[in-house]
């Protein structure tokens, strides 16, 4: 096979690719336009005469719909991963939540949020919780000692990593878009006038992992031991375990019960940020004080968080916005399509 025959060209930058763990010809891709596809190597590579549609065998539903918006949103899909048997696919979206798909279903089954603490206590609006707005993140499935991967972990902009327990796919309930509260309910839709799908929300994480001073980007779950490692914009990787010792490590210290608070910008923080942005940067052969370099990195990402953190995906990633000319007609169509009076009367029969 020539270099050209072994290359798949795309109209947008790929942000992730994963080979299916069991099916040798199947792989998944995601890109900056939010498109997530399942592809077959036999149709994606080789002579042009043997290729078909970029090898795509399934396109997953990744666009978002909200009643208060006249348009959809297509969040950037920054990474994806399969579970161990390839029955589940998790996608990390920028400005949205990790989303779980069944391999055979284009519509999402669940989203993983941080609405509650692990003890099921709702997170107050004044406190930060799971968000992903500032860096490229990747998640991971895991299930130490189990026959299947029933956990999913991901990093967050609130300086934590999150681990959710994923229910069996057949037990994930579906939500009715038409009976949900209107203003903030977000559904997935393949097009503006297509059916809406509201995935099940896993709002209570199994665990929130502390120990970092800034954004957490990556999570890895050990395949057999109760170990999770996390990394981010800092210079260290943190090992987490529910016990202080295991067959692999001894005398682990507890991580702090809280995380650092993102403070408003002050003069000292502004100076550190400018030094990180415009100051001299050491080469591999130059030494730098660990604390100084770490502080500058943290200050840089603190500034980014203040500017971009918790952005509304419907504001920063618009798709299919209407023109002013047909806004009135659209209002009438929205009323007809989303009218719940019929469903309400049916429920009383």
């Amino acid at each position: 096979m020539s270099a050209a025959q072994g290359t798949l060209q795309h109209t947008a930058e790929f942000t992730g690719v994963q080979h299916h763990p069991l099916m040798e010809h199947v792989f998944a891709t995601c890109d900056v336009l939010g498109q997530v596809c399942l592809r077959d190597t036999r149709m994606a590579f080789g002579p042009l005469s043997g290729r078909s549609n970029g090898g795509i065998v399934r396109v997953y539903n990744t666009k978002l719909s909200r009643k208060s918006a006249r348009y959809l949103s297509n969040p950037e899909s920054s990474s994806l991963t399969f579970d161990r048997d390839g029955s589940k696919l998790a996608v990390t979206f920028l400005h949205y939540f990790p989303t779980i798909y069944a391999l055979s279903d284009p519509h999402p089954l669940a989203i993983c949020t941080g609405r509650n603490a692990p003890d099921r206590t709702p997170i107050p609006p004044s406190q930060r919780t799971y968000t992903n707005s500032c860096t490229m993140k990747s998640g991971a499935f895991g299930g130490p000692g189990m026959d299947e991967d029933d956990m999913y972990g991901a990093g967050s902009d609130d300086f934590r990593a999150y681990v959710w327990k994923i229910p069996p796919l057949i037990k994930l309930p579906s939500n009715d878009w038409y009976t949900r509260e209107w203003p903030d309910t977000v559904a997935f839709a393949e097009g503006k006038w297509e059916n809406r799908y509201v995935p099940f929300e896993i709002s209570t994480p199994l665990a929130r992992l502390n120990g970092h001073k800034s954004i957490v980007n990556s999570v890895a779950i050990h395949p057999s031991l109760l170990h999770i490692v996390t990394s981010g914009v800092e210079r260290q990787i943190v090992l987490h375990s529910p016990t202080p010792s295991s067959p692999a490590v001894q005398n682990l210290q507890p991580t702090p019960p809280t995380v650092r608070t993102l403070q408003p910008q002050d003069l000292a923080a502004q100076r550190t940020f400018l030094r990180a942005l415009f100051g001299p940067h050491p080469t591999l052969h130059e030494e730098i004080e660990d604390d100084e370099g770490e502080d500058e990195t943290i200050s840089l990402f603190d500034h980014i968080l203040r500017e971009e953190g918790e952005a509304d995906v419907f504001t920063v990633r618009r798709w299919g916005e209407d023109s002013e000319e047909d806004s009135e007609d659209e209002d009438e169509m929205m009323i007809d399509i989303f009218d719940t009076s019929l469903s309400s009367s049916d429920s009383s029969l």
Side-chain angles (χ1 to χ4, degrees):
M1 182 179 293
S2 66
Q5 292 176 346
T7 301
L8 174 62
Q9 292 186 330
H10 191 37
T11 56
E13 296 88 346
F14 285 114
T15 55
V17 59
Q18 287 284 319
H19 211 291
H20 192 276
L22 300 180
M23 294 186 284
E24 61 181 5
H25 295 295
V26 175
F27 67 105
T29 62
C30 59
D31 62 40
V32 295
L33 297 181
Q35 189 179 56
V36 177
C37 299
L38 197 66
R39 302 175 188 261
D40 190 314
T41 57
R42 294 167 293 187
M43 298 188 296
F45 302 103
L48 292 179
S49 59
R51 298 192 187 194
S52 176
N53 194 30
I56 296 175
V57 295
R58 175 164 290 113
V59 177
Y60 291 94
N61 184 357
T62 60
K63 295 183 181 67
L64 305 177
S65 173
R66 188 167 64 191
K67 176 62 167 62
S68 58
R70 298 183 182 278
Y71 47 83
L72 303 182
S73 173
N74 63 329
E76 177 180 332
S77 47
S78 55
S79 66
L80 48 71
T81 186
F82 289 106
D83 67 346
R84 74 174 72 183
D85 63 5
S87 62
K88 295 189 289 291
L89 180 67
V91 180
T92 302
F93 289 108
L94 194 63
H95 305 299
Y96 197 60
F97 304 109
T99 303
I100 309 298
Y101 296 83
L103 185 70
S104 58
D105 189 348
H107 307 298
L109 296 179
I111 58 173
C112 302
T113 75
R115 190 184 302 274
N116 302 326
D119 63 0
R120 300 188 179 278
T121 303
I123 301 298
S126 60
Q127 293 185 16
R128 301 172 67 220
T129 184
Y130 178 88
T131 56
N132 175 27
S133 296
C134 297
T135 57
M136 298 293 285
K137 297 180 178 63
S138 60
F141 283 103
M146 307 295 289
D147 294 331
E148 61 179 353
D149 289 343
D150 64 349
M151 295 190 297
Y152 180 77
S156 170
D157 289 344
D158 71 340
F159 310 158
R160 295 182 177 97
Y162 286 72
V163 179
W164 294 271
K165 186 173 179 60
I166 309 299
L169 297 182
I170 60 174
K171 293 184 179 181
L172 286 174
S174 59
N175 293 312
D176 185 359
W177 164 258
Y178 299 98
T179 60
R180 299 296 295 271
E181 294 295 329
W182 284 120
D184 298 321
T185 299
V186 176
F188 284 72
E190 294 175 309
K192 185 173 181 180
W193 304 114
E194 303 297 328
N195 290 334
R196 267 53 176 169
Y197 298 87
V198 182
F200 177 72
E201 180 181 353
I202 306 175
S203 58
T204 303
L206 180 67
R208 297 189 303 179
L209 307 179
N210 300 338
H212 289 273
K213 297 180 181 179
S214 191
I215 300 171
V216 180
N217 290 332
S218 300
V219 174
I221 303 175
H222 197 281
S224 58
L225 299 176
L226 294 176
H227 287 169
I228 298 175
V229 290
T230 57
S231 65
V233 302
E234 301 160 86
R235 297 178 178 179
Q236 65 267 0
I237 294 173
V238 180
L239 173 64
H240 307 267
S241 172
T243 59
S245 299
S246 76
V249 295
Q250 301 293 323
N251 301 321
L252 289 175
Q253 298 299 311
T255 54
T258 59
V259 295
R260 185 175 66 87
T261 301
L262 181 63
Q263 299 293 336
Q265 186 88 313
D266 57 18
L267 182 58
Q270 180 71 10
R271 288 173 175 171
T272 305
F273 163 71
L274 293 174
R275 186 165 58 249
L277 192 62
F278 300 111
H281 299 282
T283 66
L284 292 176
H285 302 288
E286 296 176 334
E287 294 185 358
I288 184 173
E289 294 292 335
D290 289 341
D291 291 342
E292 179 184 352
E294 192 88 306
D295 290 344
E296 291 183 359
T297 300
I298 292 174
S299 178
L300 176 64
F301 283 95
D302 280 358
H303 180 83
I304 296 174
L305 278 172
R306 295 187 192 99
E307 296 293 324
E308 303 177 9
E310 302 184 15
D312 181 8
V313 68
F314 285 90
T315 300
V316 298
R317 294 281 296 194
R318 298 187 175 195
W319 185 89
E321 189 169 7
D322 292 313
S323 62
E324 295 182 358
E325 289 79 5
D326 60 5
S327 60
E328 293 183 0
D329 294 338
E330 182 194 33
D331 288 340
E332 296 179 359
M333 295 181 69
M334 290 286 282
I335 293 173
D336 292 337
I337 288 179
F338 300 124
D339 183 16
T340 60
S341 58
L342 180 59
S343 61
S344 298
S345 61
D346 288 344
S347 63
S348 63
L349 297 177

